[in-house]
Amino acid sequence: MGERRAAPSRRGAPELPSDDARAHAAPHLQPPRYHLFGGKGGVGKTTAASAHALSLLDRAGGGERILLFSTDPAHSLADSLGVPVGDRLTEVARRGAARLSAYEMDAGAALEKFKDEHRPVLAEIAERGTLLDEGDIDELLSLSLPGMDEVMALFELSELDRAGAFSHVVVDTAPSGHTSRLLRLPEVFSHMIGALDLLAEKHRYIVAHFARGGRARADEVDLFIGDLTERIGRVREMLHDAGRTRFTLVTIPEAMAFEETARYLALLRDEDVPVTDVIVNRVERTHAGCPYCRARAAAQKPWLARIARDFKALSLRAAPLFAEEVRGLEALRKFARATQDFVAATRNSTRAALVGDRQPGYARAGAKVREEEKEVGGGAGFALAPRRLLIFGGKGGVGKTTAACASALALARDDAGGRVLVFSTDPAHSLSDCFGEHVGALRRGVGGVGNLDAMEIDPGARFEELKARFRAWTDELFASLTGGSRFEVQFDREAMRELVELAPPGIDEIAALSVIADLLDADAYRTIVLDTAPTGHLLRFLELPGVALSWVRAFLKLLLKYKNVVKAGGVAEELIALSKSIKRIIALLTDAAACEFVGVAIPERMSLEETARLADALERLEVPMRRLLVNSVVPARAARSCDFCRERRDAQSGVLSEFRRRFARGVSLYVAPQQPREIRGVAPLREHFAAWREACDAARSRSAVESGAKKSRGGGVKKKSGAGRKSGGRDAMKKASAKSATKRGSAQAAGASKRRREVVKR
């Protein structure tokens, strides 16, 4: 297979250090080498990872190179650093001769590059191990593969590890549900390599029995399989070697975040991942006796106690809630300095919580939602009409689950004669945490509402059902194909069974799609409300119907082509039924009367940028977003009485204005106030939904806050927000970043859009 590369070749990537430079840096190398940051979506993983990478740079010796790498398909490194990054190694900071580079890998482009580089050997394996001809194999290799983001990320990391160019690699992982799949990929890929090896074994068997010399020589196929095996071994070491790797969990002191973090920690320990640290982000403090801040701190108190108790075996650190968004190199360094020992960092919050428990105000009055809703958004409420499908999506941690649950409750109340289902497609389910009761596979009458059901599927269990069907298909195919030949059974059937047994990348989206297809066919619910995974995996889910249809059509074409060899009546019938079901889903997703996508965001720049990229992708997929809910706006009443709350709201107002400008066409913007307590249970969810209002003019809203503050203080207001001052210098970066992000994945989305149009025509 030729000589191995020292590093992946990428246009625009800076030249990697020479051996002499690496030797010079080696004395400064300190374990661990790999620093992985993970947790629930939206808790600050990217912030913590970026801040840690900068801390490593600030302590680095001369000549050291540090890499900040993202495995999340919805990358946010550029948004966090305030520097364009994209699909290349990009130097983002330096200190003397030490340098920090960042890399947001385009998984789709990396997969195409991998297939192009190895297409001949992949085709050779398929040709040796199957009856397919060159044209069949080429068509199959051209199809998209769902869920390959994680695979390509691991492969790229293994290549960087082999090059040995970086003294430290900091990894910003995808949200917990999908990173848990990433951690299992080495085992999955080992099985996949085993299946490829079985396909190649038939060729070796023939050569060994009929060629001179009586044994097969290693060729390019064997070298390729050996190289893949070596890569997987390096990835396994990288993920599990406690001497080289440290995994840091990031969380916030709220019920839903704590529960998901606890489940994630248990899974990581089961997988033998060396978890060493927990960073508790956004710890609230009191500010000048503000009742709103006291109420927020009081709500965090029990979860800070649970974190201290349940995670005591780990190194605990905490970071405070900042008035302004942590974004840009200096803000990230400030975050790193403010992240300190958990006990010291939470002492103020605990004391505030104890005081807050004894005082009336926000915590007792439920935030006076009716008053706050007029201050945050002056328009109409959020009207709901029964639709077959109502989808809530957006960046992790913006409140998608609470929005989906609150809307499902409102729909069930307004349409007492129809049944409503709220269904989670996120592998890290939170419906149970949100309703405050166990949901599981199916919970009827959730929250005591008779016509509302909830569902959290187990992707593994669902895939076992699908595999049972695939096994039957495989056995039927080989029974008709082999006519009892032991030779075929020994190799082809074993290889196919090995592939069928895999839990493939994209299993979560595949399982969710199959359940939705069954639910739509059963027609038991008037409306299905989807609580989706964060942006990157949401888009993968929405692209999956088109991808799946392409594979089904390819298999049907092969069955038709080889109908004289393969008697596959049952298989063909199943595939035809599956094709019809997928077409119905595609037609539904693109039918504005039957399906609505509601975006959810928070008034922060990183959320704004990711929401804009999501909206562009949705337009290309022909599943447009017509309404956008911006959550967690600081109430005006709190801003009038507290300098810290006013600073937060001032910073939010600037971002809200940008939301209005960027989504001025075709999108209705709604806002919801940040509640003083966590939204959990039926009553808080109903209260939350009642507070959603169409946004009034952001500048007018800010002016009202400042006017009220002047009256309450009898003087001028000192504006402390730096959002406006800092934004001017970032315009060029924003444009470059948005252009780069829009370019990423456009080919895949355009292809999916084309397939959807073809289906609708048919």
Side-chain angles (χ1 to χ4, degrees):
M1 216 178 61
E3 194 171 330
R4 286 178 186 152
R5 299 177 297 161
S9 172
R10 295 203 172 271
R11 187 180 55 181
E15 186 177 348
L16 297 177
S18 65
D19 291 338
D20 289 340
R22 287 198 293 271
H24 178 70
H28 301 281
L29 185 62
Q30 297 178 355
R33 184 179 181 198
Y34 288 96
H35 310 250
L36 281 70
F37 287 78
K40 184 182 185 297
V43 296
K45 297 184 301 299
T46 303
T47 298
S50 301
H52 182 67
L54 283 167
S55 294
L56 289 172
L57 175 68
D58 292 340
R59 300 195 302 267
E64 274 194 73
R65 289 196 59 192
I66 297 152
L67 173 66
L68 177 59
F69 186 90
S70 170
T71 66
D72 190 340
H75 302 297
S76 295
L77 293 184
D79 300 334
S80 179
L81 295 165
V83 177
V85 178
D87 184 33
R88 66 196 187 284
L89 285 169
T90 305
E91 183 179 312
V92 295
R94 65 167 59 205
R95 177 180 167 274
R99 289 177 287 169
L100 170 62
S101 298
Y103 188 1
E104 295 178 327
M105 191 190 73
D106 183 335
L111 177 60
E112 290 307 311
K113 180 181 177 183
F114 179 85
K115 289 197 296 186
D116 287 344
E117 286 182 357
H118 303 293
R119 184 178 292 265
V121 69
L122 289 169
E124 183 68 22
I125 293 172
E127 191 169 356
R128 289 177 181 181
T130 70
L131 293 175
L132 303 180
D133 62 27
E134 185 178 347
D136 303 330
I137 295 166
D138 190 63
E139 182 175 355
L140 290 175
L141 288 175
S142 298
L143 295 174
S144 296
L145 293 171
M148 290 300 289
D149 313 86
E150 293 93 342
V151 174
M152 298 316 301
L154 289 181
F155 270 18
E156 194 70 13
L157 276 175
S158 73
E159 284 297 292
L160 293 167
D161 179 60
R162 178 153 62 183
F166 299 96
S167 56
H168 295 279
V169 178
V170 181
V171 182
D172 173 32
T173 67
S176 55
H178 288 90
T179 298
S180 64
R181 293 290 172 197
L182 178 143
L183 297 172
R184 293 175 178 141
L185 280 178
E187 180 183 353
V188 171
F189 231 75
S190 293
H191 283 287
M192 192 175 294
I193 293 168
L196 294 177
D197 196 45
L198 281 169
L199 290 174
E201 183 63 25
K202 183 166 68 174
H203 174 74
R204 299 189 197 108
Y205 179 89
I206 294 171
V207 172
H209 282 75
F210 299 103
R212 290 184 179 181
R215 59 190 296 271
R217 294 181 180 178
D219 59 10
E220 69 276 6
V221 169
D222 300 300
L223 293 175
F224 173 72
I225 292 173
D227 184 67
L228 286 180
T229 303
E230 183 187 342
R231 284 194 189 191
I232 294 301
R234 287 198 306 273
V235 168
R236 187 177 282 113
E237 285 186 17
M238 178 184 68
L239 294 175
H240 302 289
D241 184 353
R244 304 173 64 205
T245 301
R246 180 172 69 199
F247 196 107
T248 297
L249 285 169
V250 185
T251 189
I252 55 176
E254 296 180 2
M256 291 172 66
F258 170 81
E259 299 292 355
E260 185 168 323
T261 304
R263 292 191 292 266
Y264 194 26
L265 176 59
L267 182 145
L268 292 170
R269 284 174 168 166
D270 287 344
E271 296 292 325
D272 292 324
V273 175
V275 183
T276 56
D277 299 73
V278 174
I279 294 176
V280 185
N281 197 13
R282 299 179 198 150
V283 176
E284 298 265 5
R285 303 186 228 180
T286 57
H287 299 90
C290 172
Y292 180 77
C293 291
R294 281 202 305 270
R296 296 281 302 169
Q300 289 187 348
K301 174 191 169 185
W303 304 110
L304 289 169
R306 288 286 302 275
I307 289 167
R309 186 189 73 194
D310 291 11
F311 302 151
K312 62 184 177 182
L314 303 173
S315 174
L316 292 175
R317 290 173 289 156
L321 174 70
F322 289 87
E324 294 183 356
E325 186 176 1
V326 180
R327 187 168 182 265
L329 301 183
E330 289 310 309
L332 288 165
R333 285 187 166 101
K334 181 180 177 182
F335 176 90
R337 291 192 297 269
T339 303
Q340 55 181 302
D341 174 74
F342 179 81
V343 174
T346 57
R347 188 176 294 121
N348 180 36
S349 178
T350 303
R351 187 184 303 117
L354 292 170
V355 173
D357 277 350
R358 296 194 297 269
Q359 296 202 15
Y362 274 85
R364 297 288 183 263
K368 296 186 178 180
V369 169
R370 294 300 176 187
E371 177 183 338
E372 296 300 345
E373 68 192 24
K374 295 176 184 177
E375 295 175 327
V376 175
F382 197 90
L384 286 171
R387 285 183 167 85
R388 290 301 307 279
L389 208 57
L390 181 61
I391 307 172
F392 286 86
K395 188 180 186 298
V398 296
K400 298 183 299 296
T401 301
T402 52
C405 293
S407 298
L409 283 166
L411 278 169
R413 178 194 58 203
D414 296 343
D415 186 18
R419 296 200 64 79
V420 178
L421 174 72
V422 57
F423 171 60
S424 171
T425 69
D426 190 339
H429 303 299
S430 294
L431 295 184
S432 296
D433 301 331
C434 190
F435 281 113
E437 60 184 271
H438 179 69
V439 171
L442 178 63
R443 176 82 173 192
R444 296 195 181 278
V446 68
V449 180
N451 63 330
L452 175 61
D453 298 342
M455 181 181 290
E456 295 175 331
I457 66 164
D458 179 348
R462 180 68 181 182
F463 198 69
E464 284 299 321
E465 297 175 19
L466 296 175
K467 284 198 295 187
R469 291 161 66 181
F470 293 154
R471 288 190 203 101
W473 293 1
T474 303
D475 290 342
E476 182 182 344
L477 281 171
F478 279 101
S480 66
L481 180 64
T482 64
S485 167
R486 307 184 102 202
F487 178 76
E488 290 289 351
V489 170
Q490 181 179 355
F491 298 111
D492 296 6
R493 190 192 295 262
E494 288 180 15
M496 287 302 297
R497 281 180 171 170
E498 187 79 6
L499 288 172
V500 166
E501 286 302 315
L502 295 177
I507 179 178
D508 305 297
E509 291 81 10
I510 294 168
L513 181 65
S514 69
V515 171
I516 291 171
D518 290 348
L519 289 169
L520 292 173
D521 289 343
D523 200 23
Y525 296 98
R526 184 165 298 176
T527 301
I528 298 174
V529 181
L530 295 188
D531 169 35
T532 64
T535 306
H537 293 89
L538 161 65
L539 290 175
R540 195 164 80 183
F541 168 74
L542 294 174
E543 291 168 355
L544 184 59
V547 173
L549 190 59
S550 298
W551 279 94
V552 169
R553 285 176 173 167
F555 287 142
L556 283 170
K557 183 178 176 181
L558 290 174
L559 289 176
L560 183 62
K561 180 175 179 178
Y562 296 104
K563 63 182 179 180
N564 294 327
V565 180
V566 178
K567 304 290 189 293
V571 178
E573 289 173 8
E574 288 265 13
L575 288 173
I576 290 170
L578 181 59
S579 174
K580 291 178 178 178
S581 180
I582 294 171
K583 287 180 182 179
R584 283 195 294 272
I585 292 176
I586 292 174
L588 175 61
L589 288 172
T590 55
D591 183 352
C595 174
E596 181 183 9
F597 185 98
V598 179
V600 186
I602 55 175
E604 294 182 0
R605 182 69 57 179
M606 288 175 67
S607 178
L608 167 65
E609 298 299 341
E610 188 163 317
T611 304
R613 294 191 289 267
L614 171 62
D616 289 342
L618 290 171
E619 286 290 340
R620 291 192 295 270
L621 289 168
E622 299 182 7
V623 188
M625 177 174 67
R626 295 291 175 245
R627 289 193 286 184
L628 173 62
L629 174 68
V630 181
N631 251 329
S632 299
V633 178
V634 173
R637 189 156 61 98
R640 292 192 192 106
S641 61
C642 173
D643 289 344
F644 180 78
C645 292
R646 188 176 71 252
E647 284 188 58
R648 287 187 63 203
R649 180 155 172 133
D650 282 351
Q652 290 181 345
S653 295
V655 180
L656 277 171
S657 296
E658 187 69 7
F659 266 108
R660 289 177 62 83
R661 185 185 71 79
R662 299 269 285 270
F663 294 93
R665 288 188 177 184
V667 178
S668 297
L669 187 67
Y670 290 77
V671 293
Q674 183 180 50
Q675 300 290 346
R677 63 171 184 259
E678 192 165 4
I679 303 166
R680 195 181 191 207
V682 172
L685 285 166
R686 291 192 190 281
E687 192 174 274
H688 177 52
F689 182 80
W692 300 2
R693 284 293 180 271
E694 194 163 9
C696 62
D697 182 77
R700 188 174 69 224
S701 175
R702 182 167 61 251
S703 175
V705 172
E706 291 170 359
S707 175
K710 287 179 181 179
K711 290 178 182 177
S712 65
R713 291 173 174 78
V717 177
K718 184 178 179 181
K719 297 179 72 175
K720 297 183 180 180
S721 171
R725 292 191 302 271
K726 294 178 182 177
S727 63
R730 292 180 181 155
D731 286 346
M733 184 281 298
K734 283 184 221 166
K735 291 177 182 177
S737 180
K739 183 177 179 181
S740 174
T742 300
K743 185 177 178 182
R744 289 197 300 261
S746 61
Q748 289 181 333
S753 176
K754 182 179 179 181
R755 287 192 293 272
R756 289 172 190 274
R757 288 195 295 271
E758 290 174 352
V759 170
V760 171
K761 288 178 183 177
R762 290 171 186 170

